[in-house]
Amino acid sequence: EEEDDHKKKVVLATIEKIHREKRAQDQERKLRKRIKEIRQEFVSECCSRPDGYMTQVAFLPGPVGELPLHVCFLRGQWRLGMEVASKLYSGKNKISLPFANDMHGWKSCPQVWNRISGWADGGLYTGETALHIAIICKKDRLVRELLKLGADMSARAVGVFFQGKKTFVNKSGAPPEKGEHQQHLKDQADRIDHHRHRRSDGNLEPNEASTCDYGQYPLSFAA
């Protein structure tokens, strides 16, 4: 009887293990299917045009000048990034589209733009391309794939993030602002200035955003 009970326990444990493995496989299949759907949704979103825009989402810069292509690579989504690149950014001009000057996004808000436009620092990540990102992340295969798609080896990452500890800034005065609403906008502008430059002697400013002073060009980044 003891032997029979033991055999029953072994059989039941085996059946339970099989069920657990089957549930795990089902969950994995569902997860893979959902991931595929999300990838398709992302690509479709990149191909769409927001209301009032003639440009596809794929070519509309985000808050810091980034494009969806850059976001994929920065978040480590290499396969998704290459899928988006091959479908929407094929060709030298498109695959080499850089981060835009993030300050230009404030032109639509004159109160803030008037406050910060005097900071002619050229933007935070301006000029960085998908090729720069791939090199920084040491993704050799990705670099080769981007070069096949026509990535520009002469692209320059010129934003203050990629400049030295001191850099030239042409700062002009901002018009005086009064009132509670204007103060709120001024506070917004101050937050933008926070990690950028503080006034020193002449036009040479301490560059607090300096992090990747690698020489601007992809080959310099690789070296």
Side-chain angles (χ1 to χ4, degrees):
E1 291 183 1
E2 291 182 0
E3 185 176 349
D4 290 340
D5 289 341
H6 177 69
K7 288 181 179 179
K8 288 180 181 178
K9 289 180 180 180
V10 171
V11 170
L12 291 174
T14 302
I15 293 174
E16 179 61 26
K17 181 180 178 181
I18 293 173
H19 285 323
R20 284 200 305 267
E21 291 176 350
K22 187 177 184 305
R23 287 196 296 268
Q25 291 172 355
D26 291 341
Q27 290 175 353
E28 184 178 356
R29 279 195 293 269
K30 290 179 181 179
L31 181 59
R32 289 182 179 276
K33 180 181 178 182
R34 183 55 186 150
I35 290 174
K36 185 177 181 180
E37 292 173 350
I38 292 174
R39 290 163 68 96
Q40 292 173 345
E41 290 171 5
F42 179 78
V43 174
S44 298
E45 179 67 19
C46 289
C47 295
S48 66
R49 291 178 173 82
D51 293 340
Y53 287 85
M54 296 297 292
T55 306
Q56 291 177 308
V57 170
F59 305 103
L60 291 175
V64 293
E66 79 284 3
L67 297 176
L69 175 66
H70 304 139
V71 175
C72 288
F73 291 154
L74 287 170
R75 296 184 65 87
Q77 299 295 323
W78 316 115
R79 291 177 59 188
L80 178 59
M82 287 309 303
E83 181 179 350
V84 171
S86 61
K87 290 184 178 180
L88 295 169
Y89 298 94
S90 183
K92 182 177 181 179
N93 293 334
K94 291 182 179 180
I95 197 63
S96 299
L97 285 171
F99 270 70
N101 187 332
D102 60 306
M103 295 183 72
H104 289 174
W106 290 95
K107 286 184 176 180
S108 59
C109 185
Q111 295 95 330
V112 176
W113 177 247
N114 290 339
R115 170 68 175 80
I116 67 174
S117 60
W119 281 105
D121 64 4
L124 189 57
Y125 305 112
T126 308
E128 184 181 27
T129 66
L131 183 59
H132 286 99
I133 298 170
I135 292 172
I136 285 291
C137 294
K138 299 180 181 180
K139 295 295 180 180
D140 297 348
R141 182 178 176 182
L142 182 59
V143 169
R144 289 194 292 269
E145 292 297 323
L146 289 172
L147 290 174
K148 287 180 183 178
L149 290 175
D152 186 5
M153 289 293 292
S154 62
R156 296 172 59 202
V158 297
V160 291
F161 189 78
F162 306 104
Q163 296 179 23
K165 295 298 182 181
K166 287 192 175 182
T167 188
F168 178 82
V169 176
N170 178 21
K171 185 177 185 299
S172 61
E177 298 183 19
K178 299 179 181 180
E180 185 176 337
H181 177 63
Q182 283 76 13
Q183 182 61 42
H184 172 68
L185 294 172
K186 179 179 180 298
D187 292 341
Q188 285 184 301
D190 288 339
R191 285 195 290 273
I192 296 172
D193 290 342
H194 175 68
H195 60 279
R196 296 214 171 170
H197 307 284
R198 292 178 183 172
R199 195 65 180 166
S200 63
D201 296 332
N203 287 325
L204 196 61
E205 304 283 340
N207 182 10
E208 297 178 6
S210 176
T211 303
C212 296
D213 182 16
Y214 298 146
Q216 300 184 358
Y217 295 98
L219 280 177
S220 301
F221 274 50

